[in-house]
Amino acid sequence: MTVRVRFAPSPTGYLHIGGARTALFNWLFARQHGGTFILRIEDTDKERSTPENVQVILDALRWLGLDWDEGPEVGGPHGPYFQSERTDIYAPHAQKLLAEGKAYRCFATPEELETMREEQKARGEQPHYDGRGLKHTPEEVEKMLAEGKPYVVRFRVPEGSTVIDDQIKGRVEVQNSEVDDFILLRSDGSPTYNFVVCIDDTDMGITHVIRGDDHFTNAMKQALMIEALGFERPVYAHIPLIFGPDKKKLSKRHGAVSVLEYRDKGYLPEAFINFLALLGWSFDDKQTLFDVPELTAKFTLEKVSKSPSIFDLDKLDWFGGEYVRQKPAPELTELAIPVLVEAGLLKAEEAQGRRAWLEKLVAAMQPRFRRLPELPEMVTYFFQGTAELDYEEKAVQKLEEEGAADRLTVYRESLESSSFESTETLEAEARALCEAKDIKFGKLVHPVRAALSGRTQGPGLFDIVYLLGKDECLARIDRALKLIEQGSGFPIQAG
RNA sequence: GGCCCCGUCGUCUAGUCAGGUCCAGGACACCGGCCUUUCACGCCGGUAACACGGGUUCAAAUCCCGUCGGGGUCACCA
């Protein structure tokens, strides 16, 4: 049997973290089994579904690299893949159920049902649909139909009990009496979720339904519906939900839940995927870093946890840094350039000419950031002219220290005659200088760093020296020397 | 509230089905140290959990019962 799975979001909002993980698990399952990953848009709710939301979901999936084999924009033999375009498909099935007595019409208005529920509650009963639509005689039905009275079509839930053999939750049996005769056709004739899902899944040949645990009670309804329709049941796998720190289902209240927000925050998609994969799934007690091919090879539903997990931003940050460090510098540079341009540090047209230099810069910064947008702020001084450079308070202190000016002067001389061959030779020269002049290495390094960068922290000093180049280094040292001489004239960095 | 699911360090989890090798392992975070020109990275070490109560057993995180706690779901939403 060829595996066919689907991710079926409802375009009533952005793709959130839980949805993304569901998509990922489906995708991994499909890829691992050489199966098909289908994207189906469940837009039967005309009120809340929008094309913009569809686009946003598609964008998010693409950012994560979760490509679909059938679905919007790629097509496929089982389309259309928008439920709103499949309405003609559903009606005959409803007619059939009606004719077979497996469904019936109910003429009760929403208001009527509301009071029914109120009364039930008042009597201390559980609110439930009481099957009143079933009590009409055929004549009454004919009459109301002739009058054009609006009605819904409800599914007639049979007696007995239903067993779901869930791949994650195990065997669960529920009495059918627990599920109400649910609506399959609204009074405007449009079909509802629990009805269309069964038909679409069957038409699309879905073999495994992998989705969030909040759908578990729907699995009961769908299993019943599939039975009535004479279809074959897919295998169900309900994955535990993701909670916010308050242990409640993740929602807007928890801050950034949209996948695209994480893209915009500059996390690498591979980091996000790894993070997502480990939310509710694990391989063994050792491995936490998985690239996509590895995930594809190692993912199993069996190892999906049964208990819900809480979204932990700290861990995401760690993954972020991990993948930034892992990424080859040329590739990272490619990603960094637009970010630097965006920050106004670099002109887009300069990027190509300075490519080699940028790569060195990125390589020097690589262990120091976890998200791309963190980079510009850390490297502004590389892009400023000598006169624009400003200084941190602490850097000024380093420059005003006793003897700092003398050491800067000494280093300046040595730099003038340096070949600037590499970071390593630069460092060797500086160490030799200290040796010769009997200067403690740190005593030289700190003021020089302050003079060149205006900061007290950053990449290795000789990376800075090398990256800045001889002329710029000399100019910056000269300026610092002049400012020290003048006294308190340092332009102080804001913040 | 009914029904269903879940309950191992603060968090993600391994171990639970096949009880002993688990006075519970890894990772993030946190704390300490090392490395070092700073920061970061890296390395070393530390704090920290089997929800509770009974039972079965020579032996229970693992099996059984109960309690408590948490969550999901009960729409003419999906």
Side-chain angles (χ1 to χ4, degrees), chain A residues 438-455:
Chain A
D438 196 26
I439 300 171
K440 204 163 162 264
F441 194 54
K443 285 284 181 193
L444 176 75
V445 164
H446 294 302
V448 173
R449 171 187 298 282
L452 296 182
S453 70
R455 316 225 179 159

Side-chain angles (χ1 to χ4, degrees), chain A residues 158-204:
Chain A
E159 308 269 289
S161 68
T162 301
V163 172
I164 304 283
D165 271 305
D166 193 275
Q167 292 295 289
I168 292 161
K169 297 167 83 81
R171 181 184 191 275
V172 181
E173 179 171 8
V174 177
Q175 295 303 314
N176 293 355
S177 57
E178 293 297 332
V179 358
D180 276 1
D181 287 353
F182 57 91
I183 291 171
L184 65 240
L185 249 37
R186 289 183 269 252
S187 52
D188 67 355
S190 65
T192 61
Y193 167 75
N194 280 117
F195 177 52
V196 300
V197 164
C198 298
I199 296 164
D200 288 344
D201 283 346
T202 302
D203 277 4
M204 296 180 183

Side-chain angles (χ1 to χ4, degrees), chain A residues 429-442 444:
Chain A
E429 287 162 15
R431 285 194 188 276
L433 178 71
C434 285
E435 187 75 25
K437 305 272 184 184
D438 196 26
I439 300 171
K440 204 163 162 264
F441 194 54
L444 176 75

Side-chain angles (χ1 to χ4, degrees), chain A residues 109-122:
Chain A
T109 62
E111 296 73 33
E112 210 175 319
L113 294 173
E114 188 47 43
T115 55
M116 174 194 75
R117 281 188 281 263
E118 288 307 318
E119 284 168 13
Q120 287 166 339
K121 268 192 249 174

